[in-house]
């Protein structure tokens, strides 16, 4: 069939048809060639017949072409300017399709629209070539048989075209076109942002909303609650929990100095009055074990020279005072943890000895003695660590070279650094709060040691200076604990209600109520602090006793001991009853609040 468009003569003819075959799926495949094969001798007869009957076939081809154009609309193309007698060629690869395809090809700067009809039953292989040589020769069209090479069907038709012997790239998909358009828009925006003037940039930045929009975003109600939790709600609850824990430790300390000696005296009185030895209970064995540890610790601490240790710490220039204090504080925490485990083991052995049978009595006695020796050694070592730490703090307070300030800055900010920027679970924060309560009690014991040393050795008006330094140490400790727990809760997403839950558990522990995990979370062993306090207060009482005669001295010892015991017992009763009432009120309040939340 022939086609004439825009002053050019185009002739198409299908010269040969090849037998069709099916692939593995039974679908027909297409064969095509992207090159322009040369004529061979087998085509000579067809060419002669075509030259002899060209005028006759031209009319026939026009008719066929007219029929085809009625079925397929052809887009008119622009006229082609033939420069330097260039040969323009394009090829169409027939696909194994049964529909009507329209394809455009670019060659030599112009677009030719060709409508091709393919059929699965007719064309399995072949080529349609269009040539325009020097703008005057007639177009020749022929189909060559290609080699028997299997061509797989593509999911989307791909076409190739030749323009002046070069290969034209494949047609672009919609995704690639969208990507190119997006990249073009970004390039234009980048060029605009680079080429605009500084004044225009400043005006756009000034009228472009929030000035910090590149580094900050707008918060919501959750972020606002988080801010106010960090500043107001959590510090109050945290300090309340630490203070209640401090009073719980103080109550345990007073119980060791008042309840434990009273129970031992009552047990000895019953033993002497009945004059019959019975197996003691587990509580009595625990009291005797604590008394032995306390007596051994006080006896060994009485043999130490506090002045010698003071001058050794103050006179050395190798290690700074704040470094010594930090090292001793680390040992204090380790001894506190280990001492709690050892004391629990001792109490377990005491309970086993009280309830064992006659056959296993020997085993439990040796076990109780070994645990008693271990607890005594651990408590004595812990007592020496606390005494050295108290002497170091006293040295910093007495010194006039800002040693106390250096100690507070180093110790407190090292504590923040070691805790704030780490991941903590809720249970770990729970234990950390109780550790801060124990540390707060130890600091109170150290300040009492400094007070006793000032009473014995200070000259001139010293109380005002001591009060200022003591308040400075205590307030810095409070401030550091608040900052530490506020940001720990912020970084670990802990709500302030969690500290209320911790306080409820502590109140249940005070009331001896069972908790969820069945364990008392606040572990405090007051044996080592009691040894240090007794060692410190003994010289103060001795300084106010008359030297002679001996009976009068013994009389004043008994009087002062009785007065001290009564004062400590009264303090124990007030603190214990206050803790009981507060714990009862707080537990009821928590239950009522959960009841309202449940029904709401």
């Amino acid at each position: 069939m022939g086609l004439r468009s825009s002053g050019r003569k185009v002739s198409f003819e299908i010269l040969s048809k090849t037998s069709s075959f099916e692939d593995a799926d039974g679908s027909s495949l297409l064969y095509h060639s992207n090159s322009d094969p040369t004529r061979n001798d087998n085509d000579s007869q067809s060419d002669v017949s075509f030259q002899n009957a060209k005028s006759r076939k031209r009319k026939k081809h026009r008719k066929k072409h007219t029929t085809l154009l009625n079925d397929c609309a052809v887009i008119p193309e622009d006229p082609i300017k033939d420069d330097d007698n260039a040969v323009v060629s394009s090829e169409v690869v027939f696909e194994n399709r049964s529909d009507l395809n329209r394809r455009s090809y670019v060659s030599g700067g112009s677009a030719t629209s060709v409508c091709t009809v393919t059929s699965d039953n007719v064309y399995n292989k072949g080529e349609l070539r269009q040539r325009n040589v020097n703008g005057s020769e007639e177009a020749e069209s022929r189909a060559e048989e290609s080699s028997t090479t299997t061509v797989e069907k593509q999911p989307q038709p791909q076409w190739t075209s030749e323009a002046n012997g070069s290969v034209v790239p494949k047609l672009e998909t919609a995704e690639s076109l969208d990507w190119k358009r997006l990249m073009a828009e970004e390039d234009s925006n980048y060029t605009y942002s680079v080429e605009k003037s500084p004044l225009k940039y400043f005006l756009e930045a000034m009228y472009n909303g929030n000035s910090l929009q590149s580094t900050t975003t707008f918060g919501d109600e959750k972020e606002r609650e988080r801010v106010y939790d960090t500043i107001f709600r959590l510090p109050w609850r945290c300090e309340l929990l630490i203070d209640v824990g401090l009073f719980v430790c103080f109550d345990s300390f007073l119980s060791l100095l008042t309840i434990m000696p009273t129970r031992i005296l009552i047990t000895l009185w019953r033993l002497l009055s009945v004059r019959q030895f019975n197996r003691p209970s587990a509580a009595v064995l625990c009291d005797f074990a604590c008394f032995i540890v306390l007596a051994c610790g006080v006896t060994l601490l009485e043999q130490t020279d506090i002045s010698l240790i003071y001058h050794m710490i103050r006179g050395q220039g190798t290690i700074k005072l704040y470094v010594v204090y930090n090292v001793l504080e680390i040992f204090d925490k380790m001894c506190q943890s280990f001492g709690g485990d050892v004391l629990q083991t001792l109490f377990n052995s005491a309970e086993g000895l009280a309830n064992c049978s006659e056959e296993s009595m020997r085993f439990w006695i040796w076990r109780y003695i070994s645990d008693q020796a271990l607890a005594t050694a651990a408590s004595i070592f812990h007592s020496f660590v606390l005494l050295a730490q108290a002497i170091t703090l006293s040295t910093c307070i007495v010194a006039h070279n800002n040693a106390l300030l250096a100690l507070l800055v180093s110790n407190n900010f090292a504590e923040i650094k070691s805790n704030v920027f780490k991941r903590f679970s809720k249970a770990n924060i729970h234990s950390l709060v109780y550790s801060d309560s124990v540390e707060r009690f130890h600091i109170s014991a150290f300040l009492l040691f400094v007070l006793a040393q000032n009473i014995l050795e200070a000259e001139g008006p010293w109380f005002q200076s001591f009060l200022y330094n003591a308040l400075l140490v205590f307030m810095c400790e409070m401030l550091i604990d608040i900052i530490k727990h506020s940001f720990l809760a912020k970084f670990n997403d802990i709500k302030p209600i969690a500290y209320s839950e911790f306080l409820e558990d502590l109140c249940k522990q005070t009331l001896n109520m069972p908790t969820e995990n069945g364990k008392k979370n606040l572990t405090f062993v007051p044996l080592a602090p009691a040894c240090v306090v007794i060692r410190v207060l003994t010289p103060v009482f001795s300084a106010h006793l008359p030297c002679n005669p001996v009976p009068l001295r013994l009389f004043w010892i008994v009087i002062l001991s009785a007065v001290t015991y009564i004062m400590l017992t009264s303090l124990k009763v007030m603190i214990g009853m206050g803790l009981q009432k507060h714990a009862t009120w707080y537990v009821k309040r928590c239950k009522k609040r959960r009841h309202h939340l449940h029904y709401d």
Side-chain angles (χ1 to χ4, degrees), residues 231-503:
I231 299 176
F232 297 108
R233 300 186 185 96
L234 195 140
W236 163 253
R237 301 189 185 194
C238 175
E239 186 60 30
L240 179 62
L241 175 59
I242 293 178
D243 290 339
V244 173
L246 172 63
F247 280 102
V248 170
C249 294
F250 192 36
D251 181 71
S252 177
F253 174 79
L254 293 176
S255 297
L256 184 67
L257 297 180
T258 57
I259 303 299
M260 187 264 295
T262 305
R263 295 180 63 176
I264 290 177
L265 290 176
I266 292 175
T267 303
L268 292 177
W269 175 259
R270 288 178 180 177
L271 181 62
L272 293 176
S273 61
V274 177
R275 296 181 180 180
Q276 183 178 0
F277 180 78
N278 296 322
R279 182 184 298 185
S281 63
V284 173
L285 290 175
C286 292
D287 291 336
F288 274 100
C290 292
F291 179 77
I292 294 172
V293 172
L294 185 63
C296 293
V298 172
T299 303
L300 289 177
L301 287 180
E302 287 288 345
Q303 305 301 321
T304 59
D305 189 357
I306 296 179
S307 299
L308 179 62
I309 299 175
Y310 172 80
H311 288 291
M312 288 177 59
I313 294 176
R314 186 175 182 179
Q316 59 87 30
T318 306
I319 305 175
K320 299 295 182 180
L321 292 178
Y322 59 85
V323 177
V324 175
Y325 188 85
N326 291 335
V327 172
L328 293 173
E329 186 178 12
I330 293 174
F331 278 104
D332 173 27
K333 292 181 178 180
M334 290 190 297
C335 291
Q336 180 69 25
S337 177
F338 182 73
D341 297 337
V342 170
L343 199 63
Q344 289 178 359
T345 304
L346 178 60
F347 289 169
N348 186 23
S349 299
E351 186 176 2
L353 179 60
N355 300 322
C356 67
S357 60
E358 294 294 336
E359 292 79 8
S360 59
M361 179 72 70
R362 186 181 182 88
F363 167 76
W364 284 104
I365 289 176
W366 283 108
R367 179 174 175 177
Y368 177 78
I369 293 175
S370 62
D371 291 343
Q372 178 70 54
L374 181 61
T376 304
S379 179
I380 291 174
F381 180 77
H382 191 193
S383 300
F384 277 99
V385 170
L386 291 179
L387 182 62
Q389 195 173 358
I391 294 174
T392 305
L393 181 62
S394 177
T395 305
C396 294
I397 292 177
V398 174
H400 299 285
N401 55 355
N402 296 325
L404 178 61
L405 184 62
L407 171 66
L408 295 177
V409 171
S410 173
N411 182 41
N412 293 328
F413 283 95
E415 184 179 358
I416 291 179
K417 180 182 178 181
S418 61
N419 293 312
V420 170
F421 302 104
K422 293 182 180 179
R423 299 295 299 177
F424 280 87
S425 63
K426 187 176 179 180
N428 292 335
I429 294 180
H430 196 177
S431 301
L432 185 62
V433 175
Y434 292 154
S435 176
D436 291 336
S437 298
V438 175
E439 182 183 4
R440 192 80 60 90
F441 179 81
H442 285 173
I443 291 176
S444 302
F446 298 157
L447 293 177
L448 181 62
F449 172 85
V450 176
L451 176 62
Q453 290 299 111
N454 287 331
I455 292 174
L456 293 175
E457 300 177 0
E459 297 179 356
W462 57 268
F463 184 75
Q464 185 177 1
S465 175
F466 164 76
L467 186 62
Y468 170 76
N469 291 326
L471 289 177
L472 179 63
V473 172
F474 212 82
M475 294 302 295
C476 285
E477 185 66 26
M478 290 176 57
L479 181 63
I480 292 302
D481 288 339
I482 288 174
I483 294 175
K484 178 177 68 175
H485 285 281
S486 297
F487 284 93
L488 268 177
K490 177 181 181 296
F491 294 148
N492 295 278
D493 198 17
I494 303 296
K495 301 297 180 183
I497 192 64
Y499 286 81
S500 299
E501 296 175 359
F502 300 159
L503 182 57

Side-chain angles (χ1 to χ4, degrees), residues 108-123:
S110 63
T112 303
S113 178
V114 179
C115 179
T116 63
V117 181
T118 60
S119 175
D120 294 336
N121 298 326
V122 178
Y123 300 110

Side-chain angles (χ1 to χ4, degrees), residues 143-160:
E144 294 182 350
E145 293 184 357
S146 56
S147 60
T148 58
T149 305
T150 305
V151 179
E152 298 180 354
K153 294 179 67 176
Q154 302 293 333
Q156 291 183 356
Q158 298 181 354
W159 312 295
T160 59

